[in-house]
Amino acid sequence: VLKYGHGRLVIETKEILFIEKEKRGKKCIVHSRSGLYETGENLSAIQERLDPACFFRCHKSFIINVR
């Protein structure tokens, strides 16, 4: 579940390809099979909710789906 606009968006973790932090600001962009989603959440907050067996923070600005 991500904060998306004024609501919440449910994305299945298997659909997430990678997540990147915007170069400016605190927003993140979730890249999924169905499209791009911008959220106001920071990367660390998102990472805490993801399964570490499936997602790896390969850089300070990226989390990738290793599956």
Side-chain angles (χ1 to χ4, degrees), residues 1-5 7-11 16 19-22 24-30 37-50 57 60-61 63:
V1 177
L2 294 171
K3 292 179 186 174
Y4 185 69
R8 304 258 184 225
L9 176 68
V10 177
I11 302 175
I16 297 173
I19 305 164
E20 70 174 311
K21 178 185 174 291
E22 276 191 340
R24 296 182 182 164
K26 298 178 183 176
K27 295 182 181 180
C28 289
I29 301 171
V30 177
Y37 303 97
E38 188 176 282
T39 179
E41 294 184 75
N42 66 41
L43 207 54
S44 295
I46 296 170
Q47 183 180 13
E48 288 177 7
R49 297 193 313 267
L50 295 171
R57 190 160 186 176
K60 66 181 182 176
S61 298
I63 297 173

